[in-house]
Amino acid sequence: MTSPRRLVSSGSPLEPEIGFSRAVRIGPYVAVAGTAPIADDGTTAAPTDVYAQTVRCLDIAERALAEAGASLTDVIRTRIMLVDVSRWREAARAHGERFAQVRPACTFVQVSRFIDPQWLVEVEVDAVVTPGDR
C-alpha cells in the first residue's frame, strides 16, 4: 500500500506556473524544493547578504517541514547552492546555527545564477520523520 502524497504550498505564484510544491511528503520522507530568499512582500530578502538570505531560505524551509509534519531534527540532507561559492562560509554560518546538533549530510555547490539575479543562495532540504514522531 502506498502512502498518500501530501503537498505543501508556500503560496508562491510560481508554484502553479511551474507545477511544483514547496514540499512533498510521502510516508516518512519529506523533500523541500529549492528555496529562495523571498521576503513576505515578494521581494528579495537582504539583496547583498549571503548570511541573511540563507537564514531566510532556512526559515521558509523550516515552515514547510512543519506543515509536512517534520522538523529540523528530521533533516538528513541539505544542499546549499550559491552563485559565488567563495562566500560559502557566510551560508555555512547560518546552516550551522540551525543544524549544529542535527548534522545532516550537506553539499555546497556553485551555480551560474538563479531565476532572480538578486538571489545569492537557494537551499534544498530532505527529511525522514522517525516512526513515533509526528
Side-chain angles (χ1 to χ4, degrees):
M1 174 186 266
T2 58
S3 298
R5 185 181 187 93
R6 184 170 168 188
L7 305 179
V8 173
S9 174
S10 65
S12 166
L14 293 177
E15 289 177 19
E17 179 182 342
I18 296 171
F20 81 100
S21 295
R22 172 63 35 224
V24 176
R25 179 174 178 170
I26 297 178
Y29 302 100
V30 181
V32 179
T35 303
I38 301 172
D40 288 335
D41 65 2
T43 63
T44 298
T48 62
D49 188 333
V50 171
Y51 168 79
Q53 285 196 6
T54 306
V55 167
R56 179 64 182 159
C57 294
L58 292 169
D59 288 345
I60 296 167
E62 187 172 6
R63 276 199 312 274
L65 286 168
E67 192 170 331
S71 72
L72 293 180
T73 60
D74 298 310
V75 172
I76 62 166
R77 173 179 289 284
T78 57
R79 291 171 200 84
I80 312 298
M81 297 164 279
L82 298 154
V83 292
D84 181 357
V85 77
S86 72
R87 297 181 69 184
W88 72 272
R89 286 192 184 276
E90 297 167 64
R93 179 166 60 105
H95 187 278
E97 289 169 0
R98 301 285 174 101
F99 294 110
Q101 300 305 310
V102 179
R103 298 190 54 187
C106 179
T107 303
F108 285 79
V109 297
Q110 181 165 307
V111 297
S112 62
R113 66 167 288 179
F114 295 112
I115 292 170
D116 184 325
Q118 288 189 315
W119 300 348
L120 305 175
V121 62
E122 275 195 29
V123 175
E124 290 182 344
V125 176
D126 297 320
V128 177
V129 180
T130 306
D133 291 352
R134 299 163 290 287

